[in-house]
Every structure is written in structure tokens, then in C-alpha cells.
Amino acid sequence: QQKIPTGSKEPALGKTKSKGLTCLGPDFVYGTVATIQDGGVSEALSNWRTHSLPTSGSRGHSRRPEKDFVALNREGVKSGLVTAKEHYQYRATHDRRRAAFARRGSHVPVPPRIPPDTTFGISTQPSTPICELLEHKYAQHWLEEQQAKERALEERQLNMPKLGRIQETRTTLLRKSRPMPESTPLWKLPRFQQVGPALDTFRDPYARKKAFSAHFSDSVARTGQLGQGTYTVG
């Protein structure tokens, strides 16, 4: 059986390997290098200026422009090169860089120009008039506004043109009037249609007329919902 040395990082037999990572040492500095140049605490206390742009030797501008392969191929064709190998050798021996910010839509970042007397932040709310709150001035102003709106509405209604009386026409009269339903007589046998009443209780036509007149004059006492007449209590 082979023995595992003590200082080895291989796991022991029957045990899992540790997932921890070793530290890089006490002298290692974590994070990225800050490229912003400022004057420190003294400059921050004395004025509120914007941060200066990185210099040409900083990390942001250390990268060279990209190679312009289109221009190199054009120059190679002008020189009389034909094959791909000749173009490859020409690009290896010649150098042509693209102009800085030559792409469409690219621009140089310019810091915003802020006036020196600019005040940052949100404007404070004006003080609340406590006197108007105690005297209920807001409710009074609201009532005055509502009354003014009602007066304006009344004036608008008074100034509206009034329509004259519309004359009635035959069509409107026919719409209002309702035709009386025609009462159809009961069906009778033809031989009984011309037969008069079998019983006549009146002695003469004058007595008949007088009885019907008395019945009509006394009909008021028999109207109403209960059949007891219609009366007005004064």
C-alpha cells in the first residue's frame, strides 16, 4: 500500500477533498486600480469640482488603435500583390492603424459644463400658514369657489336661448290620440237578430228617460275604489 505524504494536497483514502482555496498572501492587494485623479480631502473640502479625465498614460488610453486591414489590403493591391500569401506577408511587414474615434456614432466623452453657482438637490417646501389652518380659511375658500361656480352655471342657463311653443301637427295629434276600441256585438242566430225585448218594465218612453237620468245623476256615489263614491274632505 502506497503512503500519501503529509504535505500533499491529494485527499486521503475514504475522505473528500477540501473545497477551500488558499490565500494569496498578506501582501496581495484585491480590487482594481483607480484611474480617477483627485486632489484628496483638501480639494473636496475647498470646492466641488468634477473628476478630471484619465491622462494619456493611464490604463484607459494605453491601448493602441486597431489595425486597418482594409487600408492595408488596398495598398497591397496598388503595389501589385495578387495571392493571399503575398497579402499576408505585406500585412506582416507594414503597419497601418485606424484613426481614433473614426467609427460612426463614437464621440469623445466630455465632462458636463456646470455653472459654479449651481445648487444641487430639491427645493424645500414653503412653510405652511398656521394662521389660515386655525381660522379654517381653506374651507372658506372652497365654499367661495363652489358658490362662484353655481352662479356661473345659473347665468349660463339664463342666457341660453329659449325655444318657442311648437305648433301641433296632424302627426303629433295622431300620436297622442288613441283610437277607441270597437265593441263587437255578441253573435246571435239570424232568426233572433230582429227580435225585440221580451220584457219592458217602463210604462212609456218618458218614464224610461227619467229613470236613466236619475241613475246617471246618482252615479257619483257609486264610483271609487270601494264603490262608495268619490269625496273631497275639506
Side-chain angles (χ1 to χ4, degrees), residues 98-139:
R98 301 180 62 178
F101 306 103
R103 292 182 299 178
R104 183 181 298 177
S106 60
H107 62 279
V108 180
V110 179
R113 298 180 180 180
I114 302 176
D117 55 347
T118 302
T119 304
F120 297 92
I122 303 175
S123 59
T124 57
Q125 186 180 3
S127 60
T128 304
I130 304 298
C131 180
E132 294 186 1
L133 287 176
L134 295 177
E135 295 180 358
H136 301 283
K137 287 294 185 62
Y138 292 102

Side-chain angles (χ1 to χ4, degrees), residues 131-169:
C131 180
E132 294 186 1
L133 287 176
L134 295 177
E135 295 180 358
H136 301 283
K137 287 294 185 62
Y138 292 102
Q140 185 177 357
H141 293 337
W142 182 81
L143 290 175
E144 292 178 357
E145 291 178 359
Q146 297 300 322
Q147 292 176 359
K149 290 181 181 179
E150 291 179 359
R151 288 194 296 269
L153 181 61
E154 292 177 358
E155 292 178 359
R156 196 181 304 113
Q157 292 178 354
L158 291 175
N159 296 332
M160 288 179 63
K162 296 182 180 180
L163 299 177
R165 184 174 179 274
I166 301 175
Q167 299 294 332
E168 296 288 347
T169 60

